[in-house]
Amino acid sequence: MTRICMSLALLGIVLFTIGTAGASAAAAPAEAAAAAPELTDPGAPAEAIAHWRGLRFGMFIHWGPVALTGHEIGWSRGRETPIKEYDQLYKRFNPTDFNADEWVATAKAAGMKYMVITTKHHDGFCLWPSDVTDYDIGGSPFGRDVLKELSAACRKGGIEFGTYYSVCDWHHPAFPRGSPGGRTKKPTADLDAYDKYLRAQVKELVTRYGPLLVLWFDVPQVYTEDYGIPMVRMLRGLQPNIIVNNRAYAAAGRKKGFSHQTQVGDYTTPEQRVGGFDRDRPWETCMTICRQWAWKPNDTLKSLEQCIQILVRTAGGDGNLLLNVGPTADGRIEKRQIDRLKQIGDWLGTYGESIYGTRGGPFKPGPFGASTCKANRVYLHVLAWPGGEVRLPPLPRKVTAAGVLGGGKAEVDQTDEGLVVHVPESDRKDIDTIVTLDLDGPALAIEPVAWSSGSLATGAKATASNVFAKQAREYGPAKAVDDDQTTRWATDAGTREAWMQVDLGKPTAIGRAVIDEATRFGGGRVRKFRLEVRNGKDWEPVLEGTTIGRNFEKTFGPVTARHVRLTILEAVEGPTIWEFQLFAK
Ligand code: FHN
């Protein structure tokens, strides 16, 4: 795979240099790239990507002296903790309970196949004895090379080792931005000097602790592609099969956050959310098992159901999941996190064939759940049974057999109109009932089919009284009527009342509503709501309630109306809705 990653400025420089080639200022990037190959990132070999995809599930680790404070790594420097105090923490950092083999055993027990640790976060502290700084583990009472021990334990334990490296460095005098939050400008900024430092450090990571599965860069801020592409090329020269994520540098013309950059690196990195279905561009969701990346006392721990659903919906979208733990200052992963991870591992011990080595689809994720596939088999992960059955779009292949992974009976009615899947309640599993559909041909060859709820509101023009950070493209009300379980309408923090409404285009008979409230943020936030319809100028209520939660379903009326509004009358925090669906009955 070859990517043409080039800012127009660079393109101009290249073309100016070429000159004699008479290349026009708008030379096709391919020509310019051919003329200046050092300005393109060749990408990782396809087989490396396929191998990484097959692993599906990894452990993310955010750790450093900041664990002594219980605040967030990097971000709390100059915020909860004064900069001078933060930068001295390492002199008290002595995690004598750190045992790399135990961490690897925890990851393996969770069914995780790879591990990525923050070798240096935005605070600049290095968990290895670097030759180019004293602000590292060598200067702490602990003194041991954490990366050496962890990479060796991973190899011994049979899981793959990767390194997170923050491009921004709010401690280093030459990086132009500083704490708090990367919002200050350093008078000593010198990006050329910092690039030299960064290259020396990532070279240490690859040559001392490699081969690495991945170099997981983060938050490049002002480190642009003219530095980043040559640096990534250097990396790939050191280890040709290394995989690089999409945050190694800030691409020219970047519109959204670094996690969205699709023209950078080998894969995209949706964060704290399950990415959308995409079989073309590799992607990996990174998510905390609690709420904070670094260790936080009494942090909210995700339930097993949440963790399994996140894993299933990620794999169903053809993505990997990197689930994060934050070890304590004495070097332990909290027991409650170890226990949760073990539960996930036990689930994978029974159902892992439906995750590892699979691809997403052919049914795109929906309210029913998601699907993965391998050879001629489709794994239908049914996370909810709206109406007691699962109705799916038609498949071009014949279902030759059906069953339930782990035991049970599944009946599948297949017609040209679609599939209807039934599993007796007694055979349904907790959290995820995995129905196996054996086909008369390869499942991956089937064009992915979008699941349709059949909701009369799907795709309708939607408006709202409030949208989170005014980011309608990401969190507007249209995201609650798109049949996509990975997108939602969200409102600003502190919003206690809000409404969203849909225009059905013409008077329409409706009699049933399904509302799926996003509850991964510690439960449902709605305490009182009303459903109203309008034909003329007045709104009339058709349904009132208190809490909504996951897949709330209620019949009413029926009524005929063109405009329908969900009014949240009382919420404990900004309400956020995955899907708002309306049906005739
Ligand atoms: O600022 C960091 C954050 O602390 C954490 O490391 C995440 C992990 O993906 N990355 C950045 C936020 O996007």
XYZ file of all heavy atoms in Angstrom, residues 297-380:
638
model
N -8.133 6.683 41.878
C -8.795 5.963 42.961
C -10.303 5.925 42.753
O -10.896 6.931 42.363
C -8.413 6.768 44.207
C -7.901 8.075 43.754
C -7.408 7.898 42.361
N -10.900 4.724 42.940
C -12.360 4.555 42.856
C -12.938 5.025 41.524
O -14.072 5.505 41.473
C -13.064 5.314 44.001
C -12.453 4.975 45.351
O -12.254 3.797 45.660
N -12.065 6.007 46.121
N -12.179 4.890 40.486
C -12.695 5.261 39.158
C -13.839 4.311 38.793
O -13.907 3.184 39.292
C -11.557 5.153 38.124
C -11.880 5.925 36.841
O -13.003 6.443 36.737
O -11.003 5.983 35.956
N -14.741 4.767 37.925
C -15.880 3.933 37.509
C -15.388 2.848 36.568
O -14.787 3.155 35.534
C -16.927 4.815 36.779
O -17.287 5.890 37.640
C -18.170 4.009 36.409
N -15.662 1.598 36.913
C -15.210 0.459 36.107
C -16.351 -0.011 35.214
O -17.482 -0.167 35.669
C -14.782 -0.685 37.040
C -14.360 -2.019 36.412
C -13.071 -1.839 35.616
C -14.180 -3.087 37.498
N -16.069 -0.227 33.951
C -17.107 -0.684 33.021
C -17.577 -2.083 33.428
O -16.806 -2.902 33.922
C -16.585 -0.701 31.599
C -16.502 0.697 30.954
C -15.977 0.665 29.550
C -16.022 2.040 28.918
N -15.119 3.013 29.599
N -18.874 -2.347 33.183
C -19.424 -3.667 33.506
C -18.926 -4.674 32.482
O -18.450 -4.305 31.392
C -20.958 -3.610 33.455
O -21.358 -3.380 32.096
N -19.085 -5.947 32.794
C -18.706 -7.001 31.840
C -19.556 -6.856 30.586
O -19.038 -6.949 29.456
C -18.907 -8.385 32.463
C -18.658 -9.567 31.515
C -17.199 -9.579 31.040
C -19.017 -10.887 32.194
N -20.837 -6.563 30.759
C -21.723 -6.410 29.591
C -21.221 -5.286 28.697
O -21.123 -5.441 27.480
C -23.156 -6.133 30.028
C -24.101 -5.909 28.836
C -25.561 -5.793 29.232
O -25.825 -5.573 30.419
O -26.418 -5.942 28.334
N -20.846 -4.170 29.287
C -20.330 -3.060 28.484
C -19.076 -3.491 27.737
O -18.933 -3.252 26.543
C -20.010 -1.867 29.390
C -21.211 -1.094 29.877
C -20.801 0.012 30.833
O -20.144 -0.256 31.836
N -21.170 1.228 30.548
N -18.172 -4.166 28.429
C -16.900 -4.558 27.793
C -17.138 -5.521 26.634
O -16.565 -5.362 25.560
C -15.979 -5.198 28.837
S -15.398 -4.059 30.099
N -17.998 -6.514 26.853
C -18.257 -7.494 25.788
C -18.955 -6.812 24.613
O -18.615 -7.030 23.441
C -19.116 -8.664 26.302
C -18.408 -9.430 27.413
C -19.513 -9.605 25.155
C -17.153 -10.135 27.003
N -19.900 -5.946 24.906
C -20.619 -5.272 23.815
C -19.662 -4.394 23.016
O -19.718 -4.348 21.787
C -21.782 -4.447 24.387
C -22.863 -5.301 25.018
C -24.262 -4.718 24.875
O -24.422 -3.653 24.312
N -25.259 -5.451 25.350
N -18.748 -3.718 23.706
C -17.757 -2.879 23.006
C -16.875 -3.756 22.119
O -16.638 -3.452 20.946
C -16.913 -2.096 24.030
C -17.753 -1.021 24.718
C -15.665 -1.495 23.390
C -17.161 -0.506 26.018
N -16.434 -4.884 22.654
C -15.573 -5.786 21.875
C -16.314 -6.324 20.657
O -15.792 -6.320 19.534
C -15.096 -6.940 22.764
C -14.257 -8.036 22.101
C -12.960 -7.470 21.525
C -13.949 -9.157 23.104
N -17.556 -6.745 20.861
C -18.340 -7.342 19.769
C -18.651 -6.309 18.703
O -18.514 -6.552 17.503
C -19.627 -7.969 20.348
C -20.674 -8.196 19.278
C -19.295 -9.252 21.083
N -19.057 -5.118 19.123
C -19.402 -4.092 18.128
C -18.157 -3.598 17.400
O -18.212 -3.233 16.220
C -20.118 -2.919 18.804
C -21.549 -3.257 19.219
C -22.320 -2.042 19.693
N -23.668 -2.403 20.104
C -24.685 -2.626 19.250
N -24.460 -2.550 17.935
N -25.880 -2.963 19.679
N -17.012 -3.624 18.081
C -15.763 -3.225 17.411
C -15.378 -4.261 16.356
O -15.174 -3.953 15.190
C -14.643 -3.065 18.445
O -15.017 -2.065 19.394
C -13.327 -2.652 17.793
N -15.366 -5.540 16.767
C -15.027 -6.597 15.801
C -16.063 -6.642 14.682
O -15.739 -6.865 13.522
C -14.960 -7.949 16.520
N -17.333 -6.371 15.040
C -18.409 -6.373 14.033
C -18.242 -5.254 13.019
O -18.757 -5.324 11.915
N -17.512 -4.198 13.430
C -17.255 -3.099 12.496
C -15.959 -3.288 11.730
O -15.559 -2.451 10.929
N -15.282 -4.417 11.984
C -14.002 -4.816 11.383
C -12.830 -4.091 12.034
O -11.799 -3.848 11.406
C -13.963 -4.597 9.871
C -12.914 -5.519 9.227
O -12.812 -6.684 9.674
O -12.188 -5.071 8.321
N -13.001 -3.738 13.324
C -11.937 -3.019 14.031
C -11.315 -3.855 15.131
O -11.844 -4.907 15.507
N -10.150 -3.371 15.596
C -9.502 -3.954 16.783
C -9.909 -3.144 18.003
O -10.280 -1.979 17.882
C -7.973 -3.886 16.636
C -7.414 -4.981 15.758
O -8.128 -5.568 14.932
N -6.134 -5.293 15.937
N -9.794 -3.770 19.169
C -10.065 -3.057 20.422
C -8.812 -3.050 21.289
O -8.232 -4.104 21.559
C -11.217 -3.723 21.191
C -11.504 -3.134 22.582
C -11.933 -1.659 22.499
C -12.569 -3.967 23.311
N -8.403 -1.857 21.689
C -7.273 -1.691 22.606
C -7.866 -1.162 23.909
O -8.255 -0.003 24.010
C -6.270 -0.701 22.010
C -4.889 -0.623 22.655
C -4.161 -1.970 22.584
C -4.033 0.456 21.980
N -7.988 -2.055 24.887
C -8.694 -1.723 26.140
C -7.672 -1.354 27.199
O -6.726 -2.107 27.455
C -9.532 -2.931 26.588
C -10.498 -2.708 27.743
C -11.543 -1.635 27.413
C -11.199 -4.027 28.124
N -7.838 -0.200 27.810
C -6.799 0.393 28.648
C -6.964 0.113 30.137
O -8.075 0.214 30.681
C -6.805 1.907 28.470
C -5.741 2.594 29.322
O -4.580 2.604 28.969
N -6.130 3.128 30.471
N -5.812 -0.200 30.777
C -5.757 -0.258 32.244
C -4.747 0.774 32.709
O -3.811 1.125 31.978
C -5.348 -1.659 32.746
C -6.377 -2.713 32.391
C -3.960 -2.062 32.247
N -4.930 1.281 33.941
C -3.990 2.238 34.518
C -3.417 1.672 35.808
O -4.086 1.697 36.839
N -2.197 1.120 35.777
C -1.625 0.516 36.977
C -1.362 1.546 38.080
O -1.231 2.745 37.813
C -0.316 -0.119 36.486
C -0.486 -0.288 35.015
C -1.344 0.854 34.591
N -1.267 1.066 39.308
C -1.073 1.933 40.474
C 0.397 2.345 40.607
O 1.263 1.806 39.916
C -1.469 1.160 41.753
O -0.626 -0.015 41.814
C -2.925 0.738 41.712
N 0.653 3.260 41.511
C 2.022 3.778 41.699
C 2.966 2.710 42.227
O 4.178 2.818 42.075
C 1.991 4.957 42.666
N 2.422 1.665 42.838
C 3.333 0.606 43.331
C 3.491 -0.519 42.300
O 4.125 -1.530 42.564
C 2.870 0.064 44.690
C 1.435 -0.434 44.664
O 0.903 -0.618 43.538
O 0.846 -0.627 45.737
N 2.858 -0.338 41.104
C 3.143 -1.293 40.033
C 2.126 -2.383 39.841
O 2.382 -3.359 39.129
N 0.968 -2.244 40.449
C -0.052 -3.293 40.311
C -1.176 -2.825 39.397
O -1.505 -1.638 39.367
C -0.658 -3.624 41.694
C 0.263 -4.322 42.678
C -0.426 -4.428 44.043
N -0.745 -3.094 44.597
C -1.959 -2.548 44.566
N -2.973 -3.171 43.988
N -2.168 -1.354 45.071
N -1.794 -3.790 38.735
C -3.087 -3.533 38.087
C -4.115 -3.870 39.168
O -4.032 -4.915 39.807
C -3.267 -4.411 36.833
C -2.197 -4.079 35.777
C -4.670 -4.224 36.236
C -2.178 -5.033 34.577
N -5.065 -2.974 39.375
C -6.056 -3.182 40.452
C -6.729 -4.550 40.312
O -7.065 -4.955 39.206
C -7.155 -2.122 40.349
C -6.823 -0.751 40.843
C -8.056 0.144 40.721
O -8.736 0.080 39.677
O -8.337 0.879 41.663
N -7.001 -5.182 41.452
C -7.624 -6.509 41.426
C -8.968 -6.485 40.710
O -9.289 -7.367 39.918
C -7.807 -7.049 42.838
C -8.345 -8.490 42.864
C -8.516 -9.074 44.212
C -9.025 -10.533 44.138
N -10.171 -10.692 43.175
N -9.755 -5.417 40.928
C -11.098 -5.389 40.301
C -10.971 -5.309 38.774
O -11.783 -5.834 38.027
C -11.938 -4.252 40.855
C -11.372 -2.880 40.602
C -12.203 -1.767 41.206
N -11.665 -0.473 40.765
C -12.423 0.517 40.331
N -13.727 0.379 40.319
N -11.888 1.658 39.929
N -9.879 -4.669 38.295
C -9.669 -4.624 36.845
C -9.182 -5.986 36.359
O -9.610 -6.480 35.312
C -8.669 -3.521 36.480
C -9.171 -2.109 36.765
C -8.203 -1.024 36.305
O -7.457 -1.208 35.356
N -8.221 0.136 36.978
N -8.318 -6.620 37.133
C -7.853 -7.975 36.778
C -9.056 -8.925 36.701
O -9.203 -9.709 35.761
C -6.829 -8.487 37.815
C -5.525 -7.685 37.728
C -6.559 -9.976 37.617
C -4.512 -8.010 38.814
N -9.939 -8.821 37.686
C -11.121 -9.696 37.711
C -12.013 -9.466 36.494
O -12.506 -10.400 35.872
C -11.926 -9.487 39.001
C -11.140 -9.925 40.243
O -10.117 -10.636 40.069
O -11.525 -9.535 41.363
N -12.214 -8.190 36.144
C -13.057 -7.874 34.972
C -12.418 -8.460 33.716
O -13.095 -9.045 32.866
C -13.248 -6.370 34.823
C -14.082 -5.964 33.647
C -15.574 -6.303 33.832
N -16.260 -5.388 34.724
C -16.822 -5.716 35.880
N -16.746 -6.993 36.291
N -17.458 -4.828 36.624
N -11.117 -8.280 33.587
C -10.402 -8.783 32.408
C -10.484 -10.302 32.339
O -10.656 -10.887 31.270
C -8.942 -8.310 32.449
C -8.726 -6.810 32.211
C -7.293 -6.410 32.546
C -9.056 -6.433 30.776
N -10.423 -10.945 33.489
C -10.535 -12.420 33.518
C -11.912 -12.849 33.029
O -12.069 -13.824 32.297
C -10.290 -12.921 34.945
C -10.481 -14.426 35.177
C -9.324 -15.238 34.583
C -9.360 -16.703 35.002
N -10.599 -17.406 34.635
N -12.940 -12.099 33.415
C -14.304 -12.418 32.950
C -14.370 -12.304 31.425
O -14.964 -13.146 30.750
C -15.311 -11.454 33.585
C -15.582 -11.656 35.062
C -16.528 -10.574 35.590
O -16.300 -9.372 35.386
N -17.597 -10.995 36.233
N -13.741 -11.286 30.872
C -13.729 -11.126 29.410
C -13.002 -12.316 28.795
O -13.456 -12.922 27.832
C -13.044 -9.796 29.006
C -13.795 -8.592 29.569
C -12.936 -9.692 27.483
C -13.020 -7.272 29.441
N -11.895 -12.687 29.412
C -11.113 -13.827 28.907
C -11.892 -15.118 28.968
O -11.822 -15.950 28.055
N -12.674 -15.313 30.031
C -13.501 -16.523 30.133
C -14.540 -16.536 29.020
O -14.787 -17.572 28.398
C -14.200 -16.575 31.505
C -13.207 -16.821 32.639
O -12.052 -17.227 32.328
O -13.566 -16.567 33.807
N -15.101 -15.358 28.727
C -16.084 -15.273 27.632
C -15.403 -15.625 26.315
O -15.915 -16.417 25.520
C -16.679 -13.855 27.573
C -17.768 -13.695 26.561
C -19.099 -13.931 26.722
C -17.601 -13.281 25.185
N -19.778 -13.702 25.542
C -18.879 -13.296 24.585
C -16.495 -12.921 24.403
C -19.096 -12.946 23.240
C -16.701 -12.573 23.072
C -17.979 -12.587 22.515
N -14.219 -15.086 26.110
C -13.494 -15.374 24.860
C -13.052 -16.829 24.811
O -12.938 -17.430 23.741
C -12.279 -14.443 24.720
C -12.599 -13.029 24.257
C -11.434 -12.081 24.504
C -12.975 -13.023 22.768
N -12.834 -17.410 25.986
C -12.465 -18.837 26.012
C -13.548 -19.696 25.398
O -13.267 -20.704 24.759
N -14.801 -19.280 25.551
C -15.923 -20.035 24.972
C -16.244 -19.546 23.566
O -16.532 -20.331 22.674
C -17.175 -19.878 25.865
O -16.847 -20.266 27.192
C -18.335 -20.706 25.335
N -16.184 -18.236 23.343
C -16.705 -17.665 22.090
C -15.624 -17.010 21.223
O -15.936 -16.330 20.249
C -17.782 -16.647 22.420
C -18.914 -17.199 23.270
C -19.118 -16.768 24.585
C -19.753 -18.196 22.780
C -20.131 -17.293 25.365
C -20.781 -18.733 23.562
C -20.964 -18.274 24.850
O -21.967 -18.800 25.632
N -14.364 -17.191 21.551
C -13.281 -16.484 20.865
C -13.230 -16.705 19.363
O -12.822 -15.825 18.606
N -13.723 -17.879 18.894
C -13.665 -18.133 17.432
C -14.488 -17.104 16.664
O -14.267 -16.860 15.493
C -14.174 -19.537 17.114
C -15.655 -19.717 17.266
C -16.174 -21.055 16.728
O -16.077 -22.046 17.490
O -16.635 -21.092 15.566
N -15.439 -16.452 17.370
C -16.289 -15.457 16.684
C -15.657 -14.072 16.690
O -16.250 -13.117 16.181
C -17.647 -15.400 17.391
O -17.498 -14.831 18.693
N -14.453 -13.971 17.270
C -13.755 -12.674 17.338
C -12.381 -12.757 16.656
O -12.108 -12.035 15.697
C -13.573 -12.228 18.808
C -14.928 -12.085 19.524
C -12.746 -10.941 18.883
C -15.793 -10.926 19.059
N -11.534 -13.666 17.139
C -10.165 -13.739 16.601
C -10.165 -14.189 15.143
O -10.904 -15.114 14.775
C -9.329 -14.748 17.403
C -9.216 -14.476 18.879
C -9.620 -15.438 19.803
C -8.724 -13.275 19.364
C -9.528 -15.217 21.169
C -8.614 -13.045 20.736
C -9.024 -14.018 21.632
O -8.935 -13.788 22.987
N -9.359 -13.545 14.315
C -9.219 -14.002 12.936
C -10.477 -13.817 12.106
O -10.599 -14.373 11.022
N -11.425 -13.032 12.621
C -12.641 -12.788 11.819
C -12.533 -11.412 11.149
O -11.660 -10.615 11.472
C -13.902 -12.796 12.717
O -13.807 -11.685 13.638
C -14.046 -14.104 13.463
N -13.463 -11.148 10.264
C -13.636 -9.813 9.680
C -15.032 -9.340 10.034
O -15.931 -10.150 10.344
C -13.451 -9.882 8.160
C -12.050 -10.300 7.706
C -10.967 -9.331 8.169
N -11.161 -7.949 7.689
C -10.727 -7.523 6.512
N -10.102 -8.344 5.677
N -10.919 -6.272 6.155
N -15.248 -8.056 9.964
C -16.573 -7.524 10.301
C -17.576 -7.805 9.198
O -17.226 -7.935 8.035
N -18.817 -7.940 9.594
C -19.918 -8.126 8.628
C -20.218 -9.586 8.361
O -19.695 -10.460 9.052
N -21.069 -9.883 7.388
C -21.610 -8.994 6.346
C -22.758 -8.082 6.785
O -23.045 -7.118 6.086
C -22.095 -9.971 5.276
C -22.451 -11.200 6.036
C -21.468 -11.285 7.172
N -23.374 -8.377 7.947
C -24.396 -7.430 8.405
C -23.703 -6.341 9.209
O -22.984 -6.650 10.179
C -25.439 -8.143 9.279
C -26.148 -9.262 8.570
C -25.842 -10.579 8.857
C -27.087 -8.984 7.590
C -26.478 -11.619 8.196
C -27.734 -10.019 6.926
C -27.426 -11.337 7.223
N -23.900 -5.099 8.845
C -23.289 -4.012 9.608
C -23.948 -3.940 10.986
O -25.088 -4.380 11.146
C -23.457 -2.685 8.859
C -22.647 -2.622 7.571
C -22.817 -1.275 6.886
C -22.020 -1.208 5.579
N -22.207 0.091 4.885
N -23.259 -3.404 11.992
C -23.851 -3.350 13.338
C -25.195 -2.616 13.327
O -25.427 -1.716 12.515
C -22.805 -2.582 14.146
C -21.509 -2.814 13.430
C -21.871 -2.889 11.982
N -26.055 -3.051 14.254
C -27.379 -2.417 14.388
C -27.882 -2.646 15.793
O -27.162 -3.194 16.638
N -29.103 -2.242 16.076
C -29.643 -2.414 17.429
C -29.642 -3.876 17.892
O -29.530 -4.160 19.069
C -31.077 -1.890 17.300
C -31.028 -0.935 16.177
C -30.005 -1.478 15.217
N -29.715 -4.813 16.905
C -29.684 -6.246 17.284
C -28.320 -6.625 17.842
O -28.164 -7.545 18.615
C -30.006 -7.123 16.055
C -28.902 -7.133 15.030
C -27.935 -8.122 15.035
C -28.806 -6.123 14.087
C -26.903 -8.118 14.096
C -27.782 -6.098 13.153
C -26.822 -7.095 13.150
N -27.270 -5.917 17.354
C -25.901 -6.309 17.715
C -24.991 -6.137 16.520
O -24.983 -5.069 15.882
N -24.224 -7.190 16.182
C -23.252 -7.051 15.086
C -22.979 -8.435 14.500
O -23.503 -9.441 15.009
C -21.964 -6.437 15.634
N -22.181 -8.474 13.448
C -21.829 -9.789 12.885
C -20.354 -9.802 12.510
O -19.773 -8.761 12.158
C -22.683 -10.071 11.638
O -22.300 -9.213 10.573
N -19.751 -10.981 12.639
C -18.372 -11.186 12.189
C -18.400 -12.413 11.277
O -19.405 -13.146 11.250
C -17.430 -11.466 13.377
O -17.953 -12.578 14.127
C -17.304 -10.246 14.290
N -17.305 -12.620 10.535
C -17.337 -13.775 9.635
C -15.941 -14.348 9.436
O -14.925 -13.654 9.621
C -17.946 -13.381 8.286
S -17.044 -12.097 7.405
N -15.931 -15.605 9.061
C -14.675 -16.324 8.828
C -15.017 -17.472 7.875
O -15.981 -18.204 8.135
C -14.150 -16.890 10.157
C -12.727 -17.363 10.159
C -12.383 -18.077 11.493
C -12.354 -17.185 12.686
N -12.006 -17.870 13.956
N -14.323 -17.581 6.760
C -14.615 -18.637 5.758
C -16.100 -18.594 5.383
O -16.628 -17.542 5.078
C -14.190 -19.997 6.312
N -16.801 -19.731 5.468
C -18.213 -19.743 5.041
C -19.168 -19.487 6.193
O -20.369 -19.735 6.079
C -18.541 -21.124 4.436
C -17.912 -21.319 3.069
O -17.019 -20.546 2.700
N -18.330 -22.338 2.344
N -18.640 -19.043 7.314
C -19.495 -18.884 8.508
C -19.673 -17.423 8.888
O -18.720 -16.664 8.921
C -18.902 -19.682 9.673
C -19.632 -19.502 10.983
C -19.272 -20.536 12.003
N -19.963 -21.814 11.755
C -19.968 -22.808 12.666
N -19.298 -22.682 13.799
N -20.630 -23.933 12.420
N -20.923 -17.089 9.209
C -21.246 -15.770 9.778
C -21.584 -15.990 11.248
O -22.285 -16.946 11.596
C -22.451 -15.134 9.063
C -22.884 -13.838 9.777
C -22.141 -14.851 7.600
N -21.014 -15.134 12.101
C -21.346 -15.161 13.533
C -22.245 -13.950 13.794
O -21.816 -12.810 13.679
C -20.095 -15.056 14.390
C -19.100 -16.183 14.206
C -18.050 -16.076 13.291
C -19.228 -17.379 14.911
C -17.146 -17.109 13.108
C -18.313 -18.423 14.735
C -17.280 -18.274 13.828
O -16.373 -19.313 13.658
N -23.499 -14.236 14.115
C -24.454 -13.162 14.379
C -24.442 -12.909 15.887
O -24.890 -13.760 16.667
C -25.839 -13.651 13.935
C -26.896 -12.659 13.552
C -26.383 -11.665 12.538
C -28.096 -13.425 13.008
